[in-house]
């Protein structure tokens, strides 16, 4: 926990180092995390990063600390939404201009970060690293679910989002503050749909994604069906009753754990 600091030291802590923060939620990624972070540090030193260890039960945290990586350890597993919001609170408190979500399993390729930054500088609030801007979706049950979510977003907002389930997204300063301030803002398609209804500008950039370095996705067939069903109900029904909060107090910097 950050100790009590005088005003000068506190200001120094709060100041960002660079313009962009890469947020990497990690849950039981002991076999992937070293390769992902080492590549980011060695080939893309122009970006800052923070790993949010989401209560891993393997050696993820131990590996990160021994390697000297930048890490926040959550005491329990909060899930992707909680881990990502932790990263965004950190980004907000450190005054970053942009924050990008990046998976810890190696699927998101850092070579596309620059393209996402360029796109968001055109005036977008969020830019998605999309597999399907210029490429066609393969025919599979999972892509059928993706198509249904895209259809639901278009039906309710009038905007086409080609890859709504992509977790590779970059957020501008206003979105960093909004996500950091609101407890029910998960990095999911239903939140994208909600923000579009509120006037947010969402863009997409064509990217390619790699296979996982190791391990398996938590989304098996049964969980994928449940996820798609939950998203469709939320987008078509629940988002109509959701209210947007603008004035929410941000947590004090002395409560952030690194």
């Amino acid at each position: 926990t950050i100790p009590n600091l005088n005003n000068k030291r506190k200001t120094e802590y709060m100041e960002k180092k660079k313009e962009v923060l890469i947020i990497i939620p990690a849950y039981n990624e002991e076999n992937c995390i070293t390769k992902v972070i080492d590549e980011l540090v060695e080939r893309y030193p122009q970006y800052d990063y923070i790993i949010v260890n989401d209560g891993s039960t393997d050696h993820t945290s131990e590996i990160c600390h021994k390697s000297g990586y930048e890490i926040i350890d959550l005491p329990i597993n909060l899930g992707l939404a909680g881990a990502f919001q932790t990263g965004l609170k950190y980004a907000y408190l450190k005054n970053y201009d942009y924050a990008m979500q990046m998976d810890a399993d190696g699927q998101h390729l850092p070579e596309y970060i620059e393209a996402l930054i360029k796109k968001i500088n055109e005036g977008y609030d969020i830019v998605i690293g999309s597999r399907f801007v210029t490429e066609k979706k393969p025919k599979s049950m999972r892509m059928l679910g993706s198509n249904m979510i895209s259809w639901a977003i278009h039906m309710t907002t009038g905007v086409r989002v080609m890859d709504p389930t992509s977790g590779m997204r970059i957020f501008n300063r206003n979105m960093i503050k909004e996500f950091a301030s609101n407890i029910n803002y998960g990095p999911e398609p239903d939140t994208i749909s909600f923000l579009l209804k509120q006037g947010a500008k969402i863009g997409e950039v064509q990217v390619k994604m790699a296979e996982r370095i190791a391990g398996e996705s938590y989304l098996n067939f049964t969980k994928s069906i449940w996820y798609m069903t939950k998203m469709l109900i939320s987008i078509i029904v629940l988002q109509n009753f959701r209210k947007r909060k603008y004035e929410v107090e941000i947590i004090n910097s002395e409560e952030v754990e690194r």
Side-chain angles (χ1 to χ4, degrees), residues 1-2 13 21-29 33 37 48-56 58-74 86-87 90 104 256-258:
T1 304
I2 300 167
Y13 175 80
L21 177 71
I22 310 299
I23 299 170
I24 306 170
Y27 178 69
N28 291 348
E29 296 290 0
I33 196 69
I37 301 304
D48 281 348
Y49 73 91
I50 189 73
I51 302 161
V52 182
N53 173 40
D54 190 19
S56 295
D58 66 358
H59 296 97
T60 297
S61 178
E62 180 183 351
I63 290 169
C64 290
H65 284 285
K66 283 186 175 179
S67 300
Y69 298 154
E70 299 292 328
I71 183 171
I72 297 171
D73 283 306
L74 299 179
T86 299
Y90 179 87
V256 178
E257 290 193 0
R258 295 188 62 187

Side-chain angles (χ1 to χ4, degrees), residues 1-5 10 93 251-257:
T1 304
I2 300 167
N4 291 327
L5 305 174
K10 191 176 294 185
L93 291 171
I251 60 171
N252 187 281
S253 64
E254 295 184 6
E255 296 174 359
V256 178
E257 290 193 0

Side-chain angles (χ1 to χ4, degrees), residues 82-222:
F84 184 58
Q85 186 179 48
T86 299
L88 284 175
K89 287 179 183 291
Y90 179 87
Y92 179 78
L93 291 171
K94 297 282 276 185
N95 296 313
Y96 284 95
D97 296 323
Y98 304 107
M100 180 173 161
Q101 178 185 352
M102 186 172 169
D103 285 355
D105 59 12
Q107 289 187 299
H108 296 164
L109 302 176
E111 64 199 67
Y112 293 106
I113 297 173
E114 185 176 352
L116 269 70
I117 295 171
K118 182 178 179 181
K119 186 71 173 179
I120 204 168
N121 276 324
E122 294 176 8
Y124 291 94
D125 296 298
I126 301 172
V127 172
I128 300 169
S130 171
R131 295 161 288 181
F132 310 118
V133 175
T134 58
E135 302 289 331
K136 290 185 177 181
K137 291 183 181 180
K139 294 182 179 179
S140 68
M141 286 299 295
R142 191 167 184 175
M143 287 302 104
L144 175 62
S146 176
N147 281 329
M148 292 175 69
I149 291 175
S150 291
W151 168 82
I153 292 174
H154 182 250
M155 183 185 73
T156 55
T157 69
V159 178
R160 292 190 183 276
V161 178
M162 302 308 296
D163 197 359
T165 61
S166 170
M168 190 177 191
R169 305 184 183 102
I170 191 167
F171 301 76
N172 69 10
R173 177 69 179 168
N174 289 334
M175 287 293 106
I176 290 172
K177 180 178 181 180
E178 187 154 350
F179 273 74
S181 303
N182 291 279
I183 194 168
N184 61 338
Y185 274 51
E188 301 290 359
D190 55 349
T191 300
I192 295 295
S193 173
F194 170 72
L195 291 171
L196 282 168
K197 287 182 178 180
Q198 304 301 314
K201 193 174 180 183
I202 314 292
E204 292 183 270
V205 169
Q206 178 67 44
V207 302
K208 290 184 179 180
M209 294 190 186
E211 296 296 324
R212 287 182 59 94
I213 294 172
E216 296 180 356
S217 171
Y218 76 95
L219 280 177
N220 56 31
F221 180 76
T222 302

